[in-house]
Amino acid sequence: MKRITFYFDVVSPYCWLAFERLPVALQGISHEVEYQPVLFGAMLKRHGQLGPAEIAPKRAWTYRHVLWLARRHGLTLRLPAAHPFNPLPLLRLALACGEPGTLPNRHVCETLFRHVWTTGDNADDPQRLEALAQALAPRRDPQGEDVKTELRAATEDAVRRGVFGVPTFAVDDRLFWGFDALDMLRACLQGDPWFDSEDWHAAARWPRGASRREG
């Protein structure tokens, strides 16, 4: 049985799409999924990047793209009333639903994702957050220092591991980024020999910033 770590931030619609489609993508494969909340904004800051929703043309494309993807896969997506929003309360709530050192289960993650991506309401509305917390009944205080520390540490550990965006799926020492990497993830878990080929390893050694002058 292969163990998959699913790095996610509820602020990303691609994470929601990947979460919903993961059971289908991995049907028939013996596996276990660990759902690891991380703060996407901190990853962007670490790499000196803006988020997709912070670049106007990219924001419009992203919203159109995820709406199309949801429709194509038979999912009902309703964009939240405001986006991007601060996902920290939701990520901390996810961790607070378990004991120290444990990760949220699929039910908790599903509840959080659907809170954001299926209602069309403000994801960070205080009354909605309060109702969500009551429904999930966390075992710890989501605002406790232990929970905050866990989220920071998880994000830093993910960056050290090479995670630069969400969703990312980690299997052993291999990382698969994005909703469109689900087929690639499945192939790896099925033992496709390409993942031990020179192509896989050579890609990491490809020259950065190289250019060829002609004439």
Side-chain angles (χ1 to χ4, degrees):
M1 179 180 294
K2 283 290 187 180
R3 177 172 295 178
I4 303 165
T5 302
F6 179 11
Y7 294 98
F8 74 91
D9 186 332
V10 293
V11 77
S12 167
Y14 292 103
C15 282
W16 174 71
L17 290 169
F19 177 85
E20 292 288 344
R21 292 296 299 174
L22 189 61
V24 176
L26 300 184
Q27 188 172 7
I29 296 175
S30 180
H31 67 279
E32 179 183 0
V33 180
E34 294 181 335
Y35 299 96
Q36 178 63 72
V38 291
L39 184 60
F40 181 38
M43 291 182 174
L44 292 172
K45 185 176 180 180
R46 180 70 64 88
H47 293 289
Q49 295 181 325
L50 293 175
E54 298 177 273
I55 303 170
K58 193 171 185 179
R59 178 173 63 246
W61 164 253
T62 296
Y63 295 157
R64 292 190 184 109
H65 190 217
V66 296
L67 286 165
W68 183 83
L69 286 171
R71 176 176 175 271
R72 183 168 181 262
H73 291 285
L75 301 171
T76 300
L77 169 61
R78 294 187 176 91
L79 297 173
H83 189 270
F85 57 88
N86 179 11
L88 277 171
L90 294 167
L91 298 173
R92 291 168 178 167
L93 177 58
L95 289 172
C97 286
E99 300 294 341
T102 63
L103 296 177
N105 60 33
R106 185 169 177 86
H107 167 70
V108 169
C109 297
E110 180 181 64
T111 302
L112 295 174
F113 274 124
R114 294 187 177 183
H115 167 89
V116 176
W117 295 107
T118 67
T119 67
D121 297 324
N122 279 315
D124 55 357
D125 176 76
Q127 292 184 337
R128 294 192 68 223
L129 289 175
E130 182 178 355
L132 185 65
Q134 290 179 355
L136 289 175
R139 299 183 181 185
R140 296 184 285 161
D141 178 7
Q143 298 304 315
E145 286 303 318
D146 58 331
V147 173
K148 293 179 180 180
T149 298
E150 281 182 28
L151 182 60
R152 284 194 298 268
T155 302
E156 292 169 0
D157 180 70
V159 171
R160 283 193 297 269
R161 190 171 183 180
V163 178
F164 57 88
V166 290
T168 290
F169 307 92
V171 180
D172 299 328
D173 61 343
R174 296 187 172 100
L175 300 178
F176 301 84
W177 169 62
F179 172 69
D180 55 357
L182 287 177
D183 287 344
M184 192 177 181
L185 172 64
R186 179 179 178 86
C188 178
L189 293 173
Q190 288 179 317
D192 189 319
W194 183 84
F195 293 92
D196 291 318
S197 71
E198 177 60 18
D199 282 348
W200 170 271
H201 299 288
R205 301 191 297 269
W206 193 264
R208 294 178 295 174
S211 62
R212 177 177 296 176
R213 299 177 63 90
E214 298 182 0

